[in-house]
């Protein structure tokens, strides 16, 4: 569970990224493909459009961090769609690393240790929810 302070840190830092979303999305995918080159073929669409989808999804999640129960079904559905795209459980670690590295690079000193820890905690909750949905779907 995230604290109110962690939620504030995430929402405030995300607001700082919004003006540079195109560059941040491009950097995110560059880092992801560097960390997990096998994910590159999973993205067949226009990468600019993919980046917009990524940040729209992030904005939805960041906005709802104080109501996590409302985004859990969305995260579960997203996880099942990603299985269809070819995403594997080990890709979640690369995505999390690429996200943190992108935020660190884009926000500079504003992305302090406490803010990074808040983002890592939020990502872990989301990734664990998505991975549990994937496992549950495969078991059922």
């Amino acid at each position: 569970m995230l604290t109110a302070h962690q939620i504030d840190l995430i929402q405030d830092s995300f607001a700082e990224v919004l003006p540079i979303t195109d560059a941040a999305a491009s950097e995110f995918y560059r880092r992801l493909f560097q960390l997990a080159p096998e994910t590159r073929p999973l993205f067949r669409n226009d990468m600019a459009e993919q980046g917009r989808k990524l940040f729209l999804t992030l904005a939805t999640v960041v906005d709802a961090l104080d109501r996590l129960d409302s985004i859990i079904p969305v995260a579960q559905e997203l996880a099942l769609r990603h299985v269809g795209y070819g995403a594997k459980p080990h890709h979640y670690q690369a995505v999390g690393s690429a996200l943190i590295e992108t935020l660190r690079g884009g926000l500079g000193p504003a992305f302090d240790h406490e803010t990074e820890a808040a983002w890592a905690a939020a990502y872990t909750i989301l990734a664990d929810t998505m991975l549990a949905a994937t496992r549950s779907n495969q078991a059922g």
Side-chain angles (χ1 to χ4, degrees):
M1 200 62 164
L2 298 172
T3 67
H5 182 62
Q6 286 174 311
I7 292 169
D8 286 344
L9 288 170
I10 293 166
Q11 290 176 338
D12 290 349
S13 59
F14 188 71
E16 296 297 316
V17 174
L18 288 177
I20 58 164
T21 54
D22 289 347
S26 179
E27 180 63 10
F28 168 81
Y29 286 109
R30 184 189 74 73
R31 289 177 187 267
L32 176 62
F33 300 151
Q34 188 176 44
L35 291 166
E38 73 278 8
T39 62
R40 181 64 187 100
L42 305 180
F43 296 91
R44 297 177 198 91
N45 299 331
D46 171 20
M47 290 309 293
E49 178 61 24
Q50 184 66 39
R52 283 188 282 280
K53 288 179 183 178
L54 169 70
F55 271 86
L56 184 60
T57 301
L58 274 174
T60 301
V61 171
V62 166
D63 185 55
L65 287 175
D66 58 345
R67 324 177 285 290
L68 276 177
D69 55 322
S70 71
I71 58 172
I72 286 176
V74 176
Q76 292 168 330
E77 180 183 315
L78 188 63
L80 297 180
R81 277 203 319 263
H82 277 79
V83 169
Y85 302 149
K88 304 287 183 217
H90 67 273
H91 293 152
Y92 283 84
Q93 182 178 354
V95 167
S97 295
L99 177 63
I100 295 295
E101 290 174 17
T102 299
L103 291 166
R104 187 183 301 127
L107 295 170
F111 197 66
D112 60 17
H113 179 72
E114 192 176 20
T115 303
E116 181 173 336
W119 273 96
Y123 181 77
T124 298
I125 291 168
L126 186 64
D128 287 352
T129 299
M130 292 176 74
L131 286 166
T134 301
R135 285 190 300 272
S136 174
N137 187 60
Q138 290 170 343

